[in-house]
Amino acid sequence: MLLIAFTMLNLAFLLPVLLLVEFYTFQAVKQVTDRRFFRWLYLICSALIIAYIAYGFSRFDRSSGQNHQSMLAAAMVILFYLPKVLISILLLLEDFVRVLRGMAHYFKREKIKQKDRFLPERRKFVTQLALGIAALPFLSVLHGITLGRYKFQVHKHILTFEDLPEAFDGFTITQLSDIHSGSFDNREQLEYAIDLVNQQQSDLLLFTGDLVNSLASEMMPWLDVFKKIEQHPYGNFSILGNHDYGEYIKWETDEERIRNFEAICDLSPAIGFKLLRNEHVRLQKGEDSLVVVGVENWGARAHFMKYGDLDLATKGVRPEDFKVLMTHDPSHWEAKVLDHPQQFQLTLSGHTHGSQFGIEIPGFIKWSPIQYVYKQWAGVYEKLGKMIYVNRGFGYHAYQGRTGIWPEITVLELRKKK
């Protein structure tokens, strides 16, 4: 009953907003064209889009999680309603100005032109400006849905540490994160990305969680592709992300949930990765060593699981050892990692996807709405002499696209500060 009341409350809020947005967008259409054909065409297309969005969301099944229909429906919401919201905001602002102008005329007792109307006519150039501005996010999101989600980028960084063991000076790590195999639909693009991973020829490969959306079976169509990931000289290691526990769908029994979780854990060795679950491995290079620590998911936000155990994962590790920590959620870093007595020099995370939406122009701007949720959301951050790198994600989820924040393959070179 509470859920029904909450849903009705949401609808009571969203419906007037939707009607307002549609009203203002139609006003813009009416002003730029007086031909009935185009006006009716706009209305028919809008109705069809709303119907498809409703259909797509109706296909969401709590027993199987998100599917391509529901993800595409979410993409359609962003594609069509982000521009419409922008148009509505600009026309609302103009209406506010029109009301002020009308009031000014009224109190001055001036006769208003245009048949003595209280409100002046809406200026056509403002409508044209609104449509022009709205075209930019429309085209950007359209690119993100069609091409951006497979626009793989290699991000290379040199990270310098005072206490890096001498033998590991120049050591390279390729990091992948957030594969979300259940979202893929293009084998050729995926094979290209795996080739790109292999081309980096790093010393070590680390995957920081979310191999699937919820189900182990999502990986089955792509298993042969991911098996092409080459073994790196110092190993391929992985951890679990929040989606790898299968807790975002409804299970008939606990036994089914447990079997699915065990099958997800088995996927890592199936594609050549050693899964670290609150444990560590020591990599030896000559007389020196480096410790890779992998913990289970730990998120600071209340609704995320907190299974990561830094104490258990570092049992037998010395505080002075140089450590690379894999933890899926970057909120773990400030909440627990920075002040931990084990001194984790480098932390690798993912999880945020950079919101799959934003603007990045190196050296000029780096913005995404996710930055209002996560302080560390993409790239390198340093605090108290320690570093975290947050990968933007290899795949995509929820929204079937990437706009401005492209899928990432990270290559980190460790250097000893001279």
Side-chain angles (χ1 to χ4, degrees):
M1 183 65 78
L2 185 61
L3 180 60
I4 294 173
F6 182 72
T7 303
M8 294 300 292
L9 185 63
N10 282 341
L11 287 174
F13 170 75
L14 287 174
L15 189 58
V17 173
L18 177 63
L19 291 174
L20 185 67
V21 167
E22 291 293 353
F23 170 78
Y24 270 102
T25 310
F26 185 60
Q27 297 308 304
V29 172
K30 284 174 63 177
Q31 191 164 18
V32 295
T33 179
D34 55 3
R35 297 185 62 178
R36 287 188 175 183
F37 170 78
F38 290 112
R39 293 179 179 182
W40 277 105
L41 181 63
Y42 167 79
L43 291 172
I44 292 169
C45 289
S46 292
L48 290 174
I49 290 165
I50 291 171
Y52 180 83
I53 290 170
Y55 168 77
F57 284 129
S58 72
R59 300 295 295 169
F60 178 78
D61 184 353
R62 281 282 295 162
S63 65
S64 59
Q66 273 204 314
N67 52 43
H68 290 289
Q69 287 90 354
S70 60
M71 282 194 292
L72 184 56
M76 297 286 275
V77 169
I78 297 171
L79 177 63
F80 287 101
Y81 279 93
L82 178 59
K84 286 185 176 187
V85 167
L86 288 174
I87 291 170
S88 301
I89 290 172
L90 290 170
L91 295 190
L92 268 169
L93 288 173
E94 195 201 9
D95 278 356
F96 178 71
V97 173
R98 290 167 67 205
V99 169
L100 291 180
R101 288 169 62 196
M103 290 174 64
H105 283 300
Y106 176 80
F107 286 113
K108 287 180 180 179
R109 299 184 181 278
E110 294 179 358
K111 189 174 182 179
I112 304 173
K113 296 179 182 180
Q114 302 164 354
K115 298 182 180 179
D116 295 332
R117 293 177 59 180
F118 174 76
L119 287 178
E121 286 284 351
R122 180 174 283 117
R123 290 167 292 182
K124 190 172 183 178
F125 90 89
V126 174
T127 300
Q128 291 171 331
L129 177 64
L131 289 169
I133 292 173
L136 295 176
F138 177 83
L139 293 174
S140 298
V141 174
L142 183 62
H143 173 268
I145 294 169
T146 55
L147 300 174
R149 58 196 170 117
Y150 290 118
K151 192 177 179 180
F152 294 97
Q153 306 287 302
V154 178
H155 290 250
K156 295 186 177 184
H157 298 271
I158 296 174
L159 306 181
T160 305
F161 303 89
E162 289 186 354
D163 55 348
L164 181 70
E166 196 72 44
F168 286 89
D169 187 22
F171 190 80
T172 53
I173 301 171
T174 291
Q175 181 198 1
L176 302 177
S177 194
D178 300 271
I179 286 174
H180 287 286
S181 54
S183 301
F184 293 131
D185 59 5
N186 191 315
R187 176 172 290 269
E188 183 179 348
Q189 292 288 352
L190 192 53
E191 288 176 340
Y192 163 77
I194 299 304
D195 286 342
L196 204 55
V197 172
N198 291 333
Q199 288 171 22
Q200 305 314 308
Q201 297 186 323
S202 295
D203 296 306
L204 176 68
L205 178 60
L206 301 179
F207 171 65
T208 47
D210 277 1
L211 189 57
V212 298
N213 294 340
S214 289
L215 301 170
S217 58
E218 296 165 2
M219 189 63 173
M220 293 302 107
W222 315 109
L223 201 59
D224 60 324
V225 179
F226 282 94
K227 282 182 177 180
K228 294 178 182 178
I229 295 177
E230 295 174 356
Q231 284 298 308
H232 289 57
Y234 286 83
N236 299 6
F237 299 96
S238 65
I239 59 171
L240 298 170
N242 56 302
H243 282 269
D244 295 323
Y245 295 89
E247 294 187 7
Y248 296 126
I249 62 175
K250 183 179 180 181
W251 298 97
E252 292 294 328
T253 65
D254 279 343
E255 288 75 16
E256 288 182 343
R257 179 183 57 81
I258 292 169
R259 281 198 300 271
N260 178 70
F261 175 65
E262 291 173 347
I264 290 172
C265 291
D266 290 341
L267 290 173
S268 279
I271 60 174
F273 284 76
K274 176 177 173 53
L275 180 63
L276 300 179
R277 299 183 59 190
N278 292 327
E279 53 191 317
H280 69 271
V281 292
R282 185 176 295 274
L283 308 181
Q284 200 73 31
K285 193 174 184 184
E287 297 296 318
D288 294 328
S289 65
L290 177 151
V291 178
V292 175
V293 181
V295 295
E296 298 204 32
N297 192 81
W298 195 101
R301 297 174 71 82
H303 59 284
F304 285 123
M305 58 282 292
K306 293 175 171 57
Y307 301 148
D309 189 330
L310 294 170
D311 294 329
L312 177 61
T314 55
K315 189 175 182 180
V317 177
R318 302 182 300 268
E320 64 269 21
D321 284 326
F322 189 93
K323 290 173 283 294
V324 177
L325 171 67
M326 292 193 292
T327 181
H328 179 69
D329 191 322
S331 65
H332 195 191
W333 192 56
E334 286 197 340
K336 295 289 183 179
V337 175
L338 275 178
D339 296 329
H340 196 276
Q342 274 290 356
Q343 303 297 314
F344 297 96
Q345 291 89 339
L346 175 61
T347 299
L348 302 181
S349 296
H351 182 62
T352 72
H353 299 205
S355 199
Q356 296 172 209
F357 184 90
I359 304 171
E360 279 197 277
I361 304 175
F364 292 94
I365 186 171
K366 178 182 173 184
W367 176 88
S368 168
I370 200 68
Q371 71 188 56
Y372 305 114
V373 180
Y374 290 92
K375 291 174 66 175
Q376 295 81 32
W377 60 275
V380 183
Y381 301 85
E382 186 172 2
K383 191 172 183 179
L384 302 177
K386 300 160 189 172
M387 293 187 192
I388 183 172
Y389 190 90
V390 184
N391 182 286
R392 294 161 180 82
F394 184 89
Y396 53 90
H397 182 59
Y399 154 53
Q400 190 167 300
R402 279 184 174 266
T403 301
I405 308 292
W406 316 121
E408 176 178 0
I409 297 164
T410 310
V411 178
L412 303 175
E413 183 177 348
L414 308 186
R415 291 276 185 87
K416 186 173 180 64
K417 191 172 185 179
K418 303 300 182 183

